[in-house]
Amino acid sequence: MPKPKIHTMEELSAAIGVSRPTLSRYFQDPTKVSRSSVERIRTGLDRVDYTPNFFATRMNRKTTGMIGVIIPYLNDLFFTRLLESIERAAMAAGYTVISQCSHSDPEIEARAAETFLSMNVDGAIVAPLGNHSDLHVYERLNARMPFVLFDSRPKLLTGVDFVGTDHKQSTSMMVDYLCRVGSPPVFLAMPRVNFNAVERENAYIARMIERDLEPVVIGTEMTAPGAYFESHGLAVMSDHFARGALLDSTVLCVNDRVAIGALRAAAQHGLEPGALRRGGLRIAGHDDYPLCPFTSPPLTTVAQDVDAIGQAAVDRLQEKLRAENQTGNQIVKLMDGVMKIRSSA
Amino acid sequence: MPKPKIHTMEELSAAIGVSRPTLSRYFQDPTKVSRSSVERIRTGLDRVDYTPNFFATRMNRKTTGMIGVIIPYLNDLFFTRLLESIERAAMAAGYTVISQCSHSDPEIEARAAETFLSMNVDGAIVAPLGNHSDLHVYERLNARMPFVLFDSRPKLLTGVDFVGTDHKQSTSMMVDYLCRVGSPPVFLAMPRVNFNAVERENAYIARMIERDLEPVVIGTEMTAPGAYFESHGLAVMSDHFARGALLDSTVLCVNDRVAIGALRAAAQHGLEPGALRRGGLRIAGHDDYPLCPFTSPPLTTVAQDVDAIGQAAVDRLQEKLRAENQTGNQIVKLMDGVMKIRSSA
DNA sequence: CCAAGCCTTTTACACGCGTCAAGTCTAGGC
DNA sequence: GCCTAGACTTGACGCGTGTAAAAGGCTTGG
């Protein structure tokens, strides 16, 4: 009952009576082979068990049809959403995506990059680790293949394409909203190892100054080695609440995960963010983490356009693939955030 | 300044004056080459930019050093934690892992399996999709290479190795705990498309009967097409609470994501699960989703031993790789769950 | 100085398929 | 019936590396 296994195209050609080069052309593009041959090959393939060798097929082609993606964490729904959107866009464009996670480790990130190089992927899309990233790795990839950074970008890196969110816009929008509806926000930040976190912090400060308000930033110190974002938010806010500080303030968190920790701290201290319409404690986040609608209270935040970012990254890669030799200028594409007003602020 | 690029081993051997076969052996295992040659190759490699071709190196080896992993969702922290633990275990064992996500689509899952076959991966570890999975895909992989299912297993599939949690144990333990500390639990289930969900539901029913209690299962009907787990939990419990039902009951949820939805429903109705020590509404979950400590109130749940599962899956794969020809018996490895008592129940 | 032994190099073939050039076959038009 | 174009086949080479066999160089011991 099991179909006979065939290992090489040579055997296949003997088995179904079509020449090997014709088979080769068929597998690459069936339309390049005559109708009658297509039929014969189709029915032949139904009768046997053959899978073209992945390595042999890619070795001699100029294009491998693969793109490599690196994300820094796997335990963060925001990055997995980004990865998902990239995978969808790439799949739709006919690519095979090889995804790797750097697990917060520059060495693993570098290894993943080397893997991409040795596999001759057609292009790479990577989200940097943060301050610990080895910029040399990005430069190396950028020099060798179409390359796009997404999500965040190292300050010191120049000439590399980038797709992400306009944090100046998104953060300003949130600051404006919070000021309009209540007291000016304090900014609950993070240790400055994350580029986006710094960008948002700076955007907050700039916007506050523009509005003639005094920016207040808390939580930049490390609360615990390797602490999750949530525990950082929880630790910082618990600390303040316990001292009777910020009890009726507006807290803009650097991201939703930190905000979830802040919400927990509030609940622990019997506070209900957003309960009073225009006063009392309010907490807001950034990113629109998938769980935001289900927190207590649901978290007001600003959504990043994840799908647009993924699509744009893949689009840009294809653009560079087609242009190949032309030294196109660096392109930086920033998407606008969108307010998601729920009840926490 | 940039090092000269070298594309083939041939060029490399000419550039540093060592024969190509010696280089080949060096890259596979430096100890198989004499001290002096190692030195020469090392210093030579420092002066040039060479990366062995991934495809060419794998084509002729009996073993590719790669293992394939498939998970059904990327937007679920539980699966990403499992993937992470598998990646760590595999990396430690010297493998390159190729991970694919089936995005809830049997076709994508099948395509990923074909990719693994064409890449001659040394083994595959996959978490099934659920009722929609094409069992034929698993049988095909199982026949061709060391293969292990993890997380959940199709009822109808036999003879395939499995590593996961003992849901009978974990669910019974939770039922016992809930009964000991308060009223017997109702079970908030899911549409029966997920094997683990069904296993837990059955384990709940069995345990309740063993205790001479009447099992009550709710939420098996689909609440909305493609609804997230959280919205399912929210919809089902909101519905009950709005009717004044289950207001002071104990609710054991099929998993934490559903429980998070249930918590939200409770909050919407002004209910505070676990507030009364031995009475009133209580909500518990399953899995120990990473956010459980940060929900309001923190969710009582039973943790799966994610690290042990990942390690066991990789171990089993290596075992089968070594045994190769021996037709080892099927192995099913079930890990115990661990109670995580927080304040929601 | 010669023989034994390890390490290396040389030489050769293999892997599975892409690709090209030249030859063969078929169908269509005259 | 012949001619031409198109589709196919045959044959050959190449990709970058693994791998095995044979031959060469070096050290070591006598």
Side-chain angles (χ1 to χ4, degrees):
Chain A
M1 199 60 193
K3 302 171 182 176
K5 291 163 207 165
I6 289 194
H7 291 94
T8 76
M9 241 183 215
E10 195 82 47
E11 293 179 36
L12 219 211
S13 90
I16 65 182
V18 175
S19 76
R20 196 180 65 72
T22 302
L23 285 176
S24 175
R25 275 160 55 209
Y26 169 82
F27 282 116
Q28 291 177 57
D29 183 359
T31 69
K32 304 194 85 177
V33 171
S34 73
R35 274 258 163 273
S36 57
S37 291
V38 168
E39 284 307 315
R40 238 170 116 181
I41 297 173
R42 288 252 161 85
T43 63
L45 283 176
D46 281 344
R47 270 196 290 277
V48 300
D49 184 3
Y50 168 73
T51 312
N53 182 303
F54 193 87
F55 303 125
T57 57
R58 317 282 159 162
M59 196 163 59
N60 295 332
R61 282 195 216 171
K62 49 241 106 190
T63 166
T64 55
M66 309 192 302
I67 71 182
V69 181
I70 305 181
I71 59 174
Y73 318 107
L74 222 34
N75 60 359
D76 188 313
L77 290 179
F78 181 70
F79 283 111
T80 58
R81 276 177 67 201
L82 274 171
L83 176 55
E84 221 178 322
S85 86
I86 291 176
E87 282 199 3
R88 283 188 201 287
M91 221 180 275
Y95 290 99
T96 300
V97 1
I98 305 293
S99 58
Q100 305 260 289
C101 172
S102 45
H103 298 289
S104 314
D105 184 340
E107 270 189 49
I108 300 182
E109 187 182 44
R111 213 182 313 160
E114 286 307 312
T115 303
F116 290 167
L117 283 171
S118 74
M119 296 201 313
N120 289 317
V121 296
D122 288 343
I125 305 179
V126 357
L129 272 180
N131 265 356
H132 306 307
S133 284
D134 182 358
L135 298 190
H136 191 64
V137 170
Y138 305 144
E139 283 162 354
R140 190 165 154 74
L141 284 175
N142 195 44
R144 289 283 197 302
M145 61 177 74
F147 181 68
V148 178
L149 282 178
F150 73 107
D151 178 60
S152 75
R153 55 185 161 156
K155 286 280 170 222
L156 297 174
L157 195 63
T158 55
V160 175
D161 286 353
F162 176 74
V163 177
T165 291
D166 183 347
H167 294 110
K168 184 134 186 58
Q169 178 270 341
S170 64
T171 306
S172 298
M173 181 171 60
M174 178 59 93
V175 169
D176 289 348
Y177 165 76
L178 292 173
C179 289
R180 181 149 38 85
V181 182
S183 60
V186 165
F187 191 80
L188 172 47
M190 293 200 326
R192 299 198 179 92
V193 294
N194 176 299
F195 304 124
N196 281 345
V198 174
E199 274 199 36
R200 288 174 202 166
E201 183 181 330
N202 290 339
Y204 160 80
I205 293 172
R207 191 56 173 175
M208 289 293 278
I209 291 176
E210 279 172 29
R211 299 183 65 107
D212 277 325
L213 294 167
E214 191 187 353
V216 179
V217 175
I218 62 174
T220 54
E221 71 289 356
M222 179 93 77
T223 46
Y228 275 83
F229 294 137
E230 291 86 1
S231 17
H232 176 73
L234 171 56
V236 173
M237 293 314 295
S238 272
D239 200 43
H240 281 83
F241 292 151
R243 297 200 313 264
L246 299 180
L247 290 175
D248 61 352
S249 64
T250 298
V251 182
L252 172 51
C253 302
V254 62
N255 66 39
D256 289 341
R257 292 184 58 186
V258 169
I260 286 173
L263 285 179
R264 178 71 207 124
Q268 277 180 350
H269 289 79
L271 302 169
E272 215 175 317
L276 285 60
R277 286 281 307 194
R278 287 183 167 253
L281 181 63
R282 298 187 303 160
I283 294 178
H286 193 294
D287 291 351
D288 199 26
Y289 208 64
L291 285 174
C292 288
F294 302 99
T295 58
S296 294
L299 191 65
T300 291
T301 187
V302 33
Q304 294 198 47
D305 195 343
V306 172
D307 288 334
I309 293 175
Q311 186 66 53
V314 173
D315 286 349
R316 178 61 184 144
L317 223 55
Q318 288 190 279
E319 209 177 301
K320 293 175 97 166
L321 271 170
R322 279 191 293 267
E324 195 62 67
N325 34 13
Q326 302 160 33
T327 49
N329 295 330
Q330 176 196 18
I331 286 191
V332 172
K333 194 157 187 178
L334 300 181
M335 312 289 176
D336 278 357
V338 175
M339 283 296 306
K340 294 283 177 180
I341 300 177
R342 301 201 176 91
S343 49
S344 74
Chain B
M1 199 60 193
K3 301 171 182 174
K5 291 162 206 166
I6 288 194
H7 291 94
T8 76
M9 235 181 218
E10 195 81 48
E11 294 179 36
L12 219 211
S13 91
I16 64 182
V18 175
S19 76
R20 196 183 62 73
T22 302
L23 286 175
S24 175
R25 275 160 53 211
Y26 169 82
F27 282 116
Q28 290 176 58
D29 184 0
T31 68
K32 304 194 85 178
V33 171
S34 73
R35 273 258 164 273
S36 58
S37 292
V38 168
E39 284 308 316
R40 244 173 111 181
I41 296 174
R42 285 254 162 84
T43 64
L45 283 176
D46 280 344
R47 271 196 289 277
V48 299
D49 183 3
Y50 167 73
T51 313
N53 182 303
F54 192 87
F55 303 126
T57 58
R58 318 280 156 160
M59 199 165 57
N60 295 333
R61 281 195 216 172
K62 49 240 104 189
T63 166
T64 55
M66 310 192 301
I67 71 180
V69 181
I70 304 181
I71 60 173
Y73 319 106
L74 223 33
N75 60 358
D76 189 313
L77 290 178
F78 180 69
F79 283 111
T80 58
R81 276 177 67 201
L82 275 171
L83 175 56
E84 220 177 323
S85 85
I86 291 176
E87 281 198 3
R88 283 188 201 287
M91 221 180 276
Y95 290 99
T96 299
V97 0
I98 304 292
S99 60
Q100 304 261 288
C101 171
S102 46
H103 297 289
S104 315
D105 184 340
E107 271 188 48
I108 300 182
E109 188 182 42
R111 214 181 314 159
E114 286 306 312
T115 302
F116 289 167
L117 284 171
S118 74
M119 296 201 314
N120 289 319
V121 297
D122 288 345
I125 305 179
V126 356
L129 272 180
N131 266 355
H132 306 308
S133 285
D134 183 358
L135 299 190
H136 191 65
V137 170
Y138 306 144
E139 284 164 353
R140 188 167 155 73
L141 284 174
N142 195 43
R144 289 280 197 305
M145 60 178 72
F147 180 70
V148 177
L149 282 178
F150 74 105
D151 178 61
S152 76
R153 55 184 160 154
K155 286 280 169 219
L156 298 174
L157 195 63
T158 55
V160 175
D161 286 354
F162 176 76
V163 177
T165 291
D166 183 348
H167 294 111
K168 184 134 187 59
Q169 178 269 342
S170 63
T171 306
S172 298
M173 180 172 61
M174 178 59 92
V175 169
D176 290 347
Y177 164 76
L178 292 173
C179 288
R180 182 150 37 84
V181 182
S183 59
V186 164
F187 191 80
L188 172 47
M190 292 200 327
R192 300 198 178 93
V193 294
N194 176 300
F195 304 124
N196 281 346
V198 174
E199 274 198 36
R200 288 173 201 167
E201 183 181 329
N202 290 339
Y204 160 79
I205 293 172
R207 191 54 171 179
M208 289 292 278
I209 291 175
E210 278 173 29
R211 297 184 67 106
D212 278 325
L213 295 167
E214 190 187 354
V216 179
V217 175
I218 63 175
T220 55
E221 71 289 356
M222 179 93 77
T223 46
Y228 275 83
F229 293 138
E230 291 86 1
S231 17
H232 176 73
L234 171 55
V236 173
M237 293 314 294
S238 272
D239 200 44
H240 280 84
F241 292 152
R243 295 200 314 264
L246 301 180
L247 290 175
D248 62 352
S249 64
T250 297
V251 182
L252 171 52
C253 302
V254 63
N255 65 40
D256 289 341
R257 292 185 59 188
V258 169
I260 286 173
L263 286 179
R264 178 71 206 123
Q268 276 181 351
H269 288 79
L271 302 169
E272 216 175 318
L276 285 59
R277 285 280 307 193
R278 289 186 167 251
L281 181 64
R282 297 188 303 161
I283 294 179
H286 193 294
D287 290 351
D288 198 26
Y289 208 64
L291 286 175
C292 288
F294 303 99
T295 58
S296 295
L299 192 64
T300 291
T301 187
V302 34
Q304 295 197 46
D305 194 343
V306 172
D307 288 334
I309 293 175
Q311 188 65 53
V314 172
D315 286 350
R316 179 59 183 146
L317 222 55
Q318 288 190 278
E319 210 176 301
K320 293 176 97 167
L321 271 170
R322 279 190 293 269
E324 196 63 65
N325 34 13
Q326 300 162 35
T327 48
N329 294 330
Q330 176 197 16
I331 286 192
V332 171
K333 195 156 187 179
L334 300 181
M335 314 289 177
D336 277 358
V338 175
M339 281 297 306
K340 295 282 177 179
I341 299 177
R342 302 202 174 91
S343 50
S344 74

